[in-house]
Amino acid sequence: MGTTASADVIFTLRGVTRHFERGGEVVAALAGVDLDVARGELLLVMGPSGSGKSTLLHLLGGLERPSAGAVQLHFKAGAPPLDLAQLGDEQLAELRRRHLGFVFQEFHLLPTLTAQENVLLPLLLDGVSEAQAHVAAAKRLFQVGLAARADHLPDQLSGGERQRVAIARALIADPSVLLCDEPTGSLDSARGQEIFTLLRGLAHDEQRTVVVVTHDPAALPFADRVLLLRDGRLAPPDRVARS
Amino acid sequence: MNLLAVLRLLSLRHFRRHALRTLLALGSVALGVGAFLAMAALNRGVLDSFAQTARARAAGADWTVRVGRAGVPLELANELRTVAGVRAAAPMVIRPFAMGRGATIEHWNVLVVGIDPATLPEGTPGLPRPAFRALASPLAVLFGGAVPLYLPTRVAAEWGVEPGDELFVVTPSGSQAARVAATFDAAGLLDGSLQVAVGAPLEDAMRLAGLKQRVDTIQVWRDAAADREGVERALRGVLAGRAELEDPASQAHEFDATLGSFRLALRFVAWLSLVIAAFLVHSTLSMALAERRRELAIVRCLGLTAARLKVLLFAEAAAIGALGGLAGLLLGQLLARTMGSLFWSTVGQTFDRVEVVARTPSLGEALAGLAAGVVAALLAVVPPALAAARAAPVAALVAARGESRGADHGSKRAATMAALLVGLAMALCFVDGRRLPHGGYLVIALLIGALAVGAKPLLTLALRVSGPWLLRSGGVAARLARDHCARAAGQTALTVVAIALGFGLVFSTDVLVKSYVRMLNRWFAANVGEDLLVMGQDFVGSGMVGCDFEWRLNGELAAIPGVLHSHGLRFSRLPYQGERVLLFAYDAGGPAEAGDPEYVAGDDRDEAALARGEGCFVSEGFAHRFGKARGASVVLASPDGPLGLRVLAVVEDYLWPRGSIWIDDDFYRRAFHDDAVQEFALTLDGTRPIADVKSDVERVMTGQPTALVADAATVQHNVMGIVERYWTLLLAQEGLAVLVAFLGTLHALLVSVLLRRRELALLRALGAPLSLVARMLRTEGALLGFMGGLLGLAFGGAAASVALRILSLEEMGFAVTPAPSLQTALLTLVAATATGWLAGWLPGRHAARAAPRTALLDTMS
């Protein structure tokens, strides 16, 4: 299934189930998912709409808690893992600020802030001084090729540029994990290729774990591993290969 | 968290981007704080004006000795001087007269202050010694029979007179010759700022007033080293019930009392304005947070904890409260000045001898106002901040993509809670006011709570019922507007409550005013059965002080053919248990045609006992205020010593807000040795035309140039004119409340449009014409206005009833039957609907202008 043989695992999910109530009915978004995510890999999670992809990503990012099962995060090989379901709101928020980066399909940039201000916001939330935050943000914008657009507001940027700002923001705290929800969903194919190239570099060159939820088949060549979710369950590897 | 940096980056940037809405939020706080401060300053200014006038009239004395209009025996001054620790006891006549030159009365209500300079203490601050010394000038004797008058230089200049010029003074026994003896730079008692006051030798002033061996007051000064309480005890011992000893400042009560119901209404309106403003801040911030749900969800996803989010939102609210409060301070200064001048040019006209002290908010009031602004903003943000912090980041993010919808669950719970609050409020209405002080305010607070909690379920029900009708009558625009209101019932309810409070205030004020006016009209019709009234032209305007007439004229008037009966009426304000009550003397043995008292406890047999001098009647207010029911005893100071009176009956009477005591006129003259009256009330027998009788009455009164002869209807009309003038200031308050309600509605609809950008863009993308979108928003505004207006009528009617039945009873001792007007109710409803429609116009234009594609892509940043 979704487990890996490597000992260098950063996420371990065992029997993870997530239910929602919708219109009085209980709907299972995820049903008994077992999964290991390796450090430094670019993992693609694919599947039709409503299959539970985003829910899986939210569970990895501590934005939601499982109804059953465990989501464990291994910061360092050999160290005791963190069970995300057991962490409080404060601890989860700190985890998101310092160790996890998020990239959303709709970018979710704050329209009132410039590109640089959007990028540095997580550092300010973490108590870093403005001066230091500005330096760090400039560096990240340079890294994603947007140094020249630092003072532009989101609505002055193209879709691809906005997504690169979102990636720079996700990287600002130097997280070991990057969680991307349909990062190319709002982009054309050329901009999509650019984004996946950038994400692959972050995984392979900087040893960050990158988990990408996507519908986009153009992402397949960039992935180290591909998981297929259907009706809240992970499909067997052979089915992934066939699909 | 780097709070300051985050505040600057997130909050300040947001406020700047939505400058109009931020200004509306700040404006709500500023208006509330400003109105509150202005009312506080106005109240203080009024009280200070009264107190300052009272102090100035007392000329720095420690005590004033009085027995109402009857006057104090002159010899009492000698007895008081024998008390150890008394530095001086100065008998004085202080009375208003009309004066003129030639044959024309040119000056009304001129205060003649009669003093014997020899009785005044040396070195008393505020006393114009040189001027008063002039009163003893030997030159005075050269005037022969003319009364020497000493005019402040300013008054002499205004009148255009010089020493030696002749004047006349209208006295109860006719016109008396007077002459300007000297002019001087006045201060204290005769300061020109006390309107017009002139000095006269004591004996001459007594002669003018028709006082025989009596004076109006004796001012008493003590030695600086003497123990105040000890001297006061000794003075009371000497007086032995022959007169009351008062603090001079207590005269301020008399002025203040005249304003009774008006100030109650003013305070009621001021507090309600503050509540409306606080509620609007709540509504504004709630809507603002709903609009920012996405932004807040993003920062939560980026690692902002729920606790820190709350800190951030509270800091924002505190900043809005503080900034709005600061703006409110400035506005309060401005409003205080405006309302002050409005007050003195309307209500204050009644007190034409009051020295006006203009007050602006004090430092303490300013700080309290500022704190109120911050606290209101903080309290307002608590529920939405807690809700925002409670929401899971992703859930908020997902919800933010669509329109935020008010949670529809909990409607039954809210309806139950509202019903409970209303039930509790109704139960409290039956609790005795003396056991629950200020219970009326608690009842109104419960009603506001019920309105806030119950608005949503009521709205939901109303929208459900009205859906099909709206579709039939208003077309698609109306149906879409209704659907949105139903979907976002939570936010819609906030707007409706804001409108309901604003227009409820307008309606309740109208009910207050109309109820008081109707009560007075009814009382007038029941009590004033006479056909013709004779009184000083200044009688009504001076709050029943006016000039005196001799009692003997009553006989002449009664003898006029066609006159069935003539009452000589005496109105005297007496100190009683720290208040000034009204002693009203009339002919209790008069015929039934002259009017009957409205009995609260007692009947006509008691009036027969009253005519025999067996006791007194007291007003309902007096009975309530001093706990004197039928059969109780009331002890008054009188020239012959304490006068015990049994309460024979309790009657309905609104002559004086602090309560009144009625006694028979013969009994009054015997007990108080006072033969003067201020009014004659004549009942005709119908054998002659009223105009003929009136001519004869005017002939009898020829020697009384100040006398006004009028039929009862004209007098009633004049009295009601003065009463209605009192309420002018309330209109300014109402205007303010409507403005606040309008701003709140405008803001709510603006935010509503922004929250619905996608929905509106979709409608446009599907081909809806611009006019439909704009019409839909105007209809929505009108719908909210109509529902707010309906709720406002219910709330305003209930609040006014509480004010009339409970607050009025608590503060003035009588309850008033509410008199809601159907016409005003309809007008209020129309005005609320129109306000909503108007408030929907601007957002309607705004929404219609947005290009569909832009709006659809707007949330993709």
Side-chain angles (χ1 to χ4, degrees), chain A residues 219-238:
Chain A
L220 287 170
F222 297 91
D224 296 315
R225 193 153 62 106
V226 179
L227 296 177
L228 181 65
L229 264 174
R230 198 181 292 278
D231 299 328
R233 297 175 191 280
L234 285 174
D238 58 325

Side-chain angles (χ1 to χ4, degrees), chain B residues 375-743:
Chain B
V375 169
L378 281 175
L379 284 178
V381 87
V382 167
L386 291 182
R390 257 200 315 269
V394 170
L397 205 55
V398 171
R401 287 179 193 155
E403 182 188 344
S404 80
R405 292 171 188 194
D408 283 336
H409 56 267
S411 277
K412 275 185 192 162
R413 206 171 46 194
T416 311
M417 175 68 81
L420 276 175
L421 288 172
V422 171
L424 189 56
M426 287 174 71
L428 278 177
C429 288
F430 295 101
V431 174
D432 184 347
R434 267 173 287 194
R435 274 190 291 162
L436 185 67
H438 307 301
Y441 291 106
L442 182 59
V443 172
I444 291 176
L446 287 170
L447 288 176
I448 292 174
L451 178 67
V453 175
K456 191 176 145 190
L458 262 176
L459 181 73
T460 309
L461 181 68
L463 288 168
R464 194 178 301 152
V465 175
S466 62
W469 177 80
L470 278 171
L471 181 61
R472 276 199 308 275
S473 58
V476 179
R479 180 55 194 257
L480 284 172
R482 174 255 170 214
D483 284 353
H484 172 258
C485 292
R487 275 201 318 273
Q491 289 161 12
T492 307
L494 284 177
T495 314
V496 167
V497 173
I499 296 170
L501 280 171
F503 284 91
L505 178 64
V506 173
F507 184 60
S508 65
T509 309
D510 184 80
V511 174
L512 278 180
V513 175
K514 287 207 165 68
S515 304
Y516 276 118
V517 169
R518 194 184 72 155
M519 168 198 82
L520 286 173
N521 270 324
R522 189 177 56 80
W523 176 86
F524 211 97
N527 282 268
V528 186
E530 298 87 354
D531 303 293
L532 280 177
L533 299 170
V534 182
M535 62 186 74
Q537 294 189 19
D538 56 348
F539 180 71
V540 173
S542 63
M544 292 177 303
V545 178
C547 60
D548 285 347
F549 302 109
E550 289 182 334
W551 161 252
R552 65 172 177 79
L553 289 170
N554 196 48
E556 290 182 38
L557 294 171
I560 293 173
V563 173
L564 177 69
H565 179 263
S566 175
H567 277 296
L569 305 177
R570 189 59 164 158
F571 301 85
S572 178
R573 287 174 199 156
L574 285 182
Y576 184 80
Q577 295 188 7
E579 299 273 10
R580 289 276 175 93
V581 299
L582 178 75
L583 183 64
F584 171 59
Y586 78 111
D587 180 8
E593 290 88 338
D596 271 331
E598 294 282 299
Y599 293 99
V600 175
D603 54 39
D604 285 339
R605 282 170 301 182
D606 296 313
E607 198 174 24
L610 186 72
R612 294 192 297 270
E614 291 173 10
C616 67
F617 286 0
V618 297
S619 70
E620 190 186 4
F622 183 96
H624 187 269
R625 184 178 294 274
F626 301 106
K628 299 288 184 187
R630 192 174 179 216
S633 177
V634 173
V635 180
L636 301 177
S638 80
D640 297 334
L643 179 66
L645 298 166
R646 191 162 59 90
V647 175
L648 300 168
V650 178
V651 291
E652 197 179 316
D653 176 31
Y654 309 111
L655 279 172
W656 187 242
R658 293 292 191 264
S660 54
I661 302 170
W662 295 13
I663 58 174
D664 181 68
D665 56 354
D666 288 336
F667 179 68
Y668 172 79
R669 284 195 301 282
R670 281 199 308 274
F672 288 87
H673 311 295
D674 177 16
D675 275 347
V677 295
Q678 290 126 303
E679 185 183 334
F680 298 103
L682 278 66
T683 309
L684 308 190
D685 58 15
T687 56
R688 292 180 70 202
I690 191 165
D692 293 354
V693 179
K694 190 179 171 197
S695 303
D696 287 349
V697 170
E698 284 167 345
R699 186 176 42 76
V700 169
M701 301 304 292
T702 309
Q704 302 289 332
T706 61
L708 170 78
V709 184
D711 59 77
T714 306
V715 174
Q716 182 176 0
H717 178 76
N718 293 343
V719 170
M720 298 319 289
I722 289 176
V723 170
E724 285 179 17
R725 195 172 63 192
Y726 272 35
W727 308 105
T728 312
L729 205 62
L730 284 177
L731 295 178
Q733 276 277 322
E734 281 187 22
L736 214 59
V738 171
L739 179 65
V740 174
F742 174 75
L743 290 180

Side-chain angles (χ1 to χ4, degrees), chain A residues 58 63-64 89-90 93-94 96-97 102 104 106-114 117-118 120-122 124-130 153-155 162 169 181 186, chain B residues 1-6 8-10 13-14 17-18 294-296 298-308 392-395 397-398 401 758 857 859-861:
Chain A
H58 294 160
L63 288 172
E64 289 182 33
D89 180 63
E90 288 276 346
E94 185 185 330
R96 290 197 295 274
R97 279 200 309 273
F102 281 93
F104 303 97
E106 291 181 353
F107 324 132
H108 289 322
L109 300 179
L110 298 180
T112 51
L113 305 189
T114 64
E117 287 166 341
N118 264 292
L120 62 81
L121 185 59
L124 291 185
L125 296 177
D126 207 25
V128 175
S129 76
E130 273 188 276
L153 290 169
D155 60 9
R162 288 187 209 185
R169 181 178 65 184
D181 192 357
S186 302
Chain B
M1 177 172 64
N2 191 338
L3 182 63
L4 271 181
V6 175
R8 206 169 59 237
L9 207 59
L10 291 183
R13 207 62 71 82
H14 175 85
R17 188 181 190 201
H18 304 293
R294 177 170 165 271
E295 173 189 319
L296 299 178
I298 292 171
V299 286
R300 290 273 283 128
C301 286
L302 294 177
L304 185 72
T305 63
R308 286 178 180 182
V394 170
L397 205 55
V398 171
R401 287 179 193 155
R758 277 178 165 241
L857 294 177
T859 51
M860 306 281 281
S861 296

Side-chain angles (χ1 to χ4, degrees), chain B residues 69-156:
Chain B
R69 196 72 184 230
V72 187
L74 182 61
E75 70 269 15
L76 263 182
N78 291 329
E79 292 182 43
L80 295 173
R81 285 189 202 108
T82 62
V83 173
V86 169
R87 186 171 155 219
M92 292 186 187
V93 170
I94 306 179
R95 240 172 231 229
F97 291 94
M99 292 185 189
R101 274 189 289 182
T104 318
I105 295 178
E106 294 177 348
H107 314 290
W108 296 91
N109 284 319
V110 178
L111 206 63
V112 171
V113 182
I115 303 170
D116 176 359
T119 60
L120 295 169
E122 284 287 341
T124 307
L127 269 184
R129 295 289 309 172
F132 279 77
R133 218 172 275 126
L135 296 179
S137 164
L139 284 175
V141 298
L142 298 177
F143 291 117
V147 174
L149 295 177
Y150 296 80
L151 271 58
T153 314
R154 205 172 76 185
V155 174

Side-chain angles (χ1 to χ4, degrees), chain A residues 26 28 38-39 58 75 101 111 150 179 186 194-195 203 205 213 221:
Chain A
V26 177
R39 209 177 296 276
H58 294 160
F75 272 131
L179 303 168
S186 302
E194 281 177 18
I195 294 298
D205 304 340
V213 163

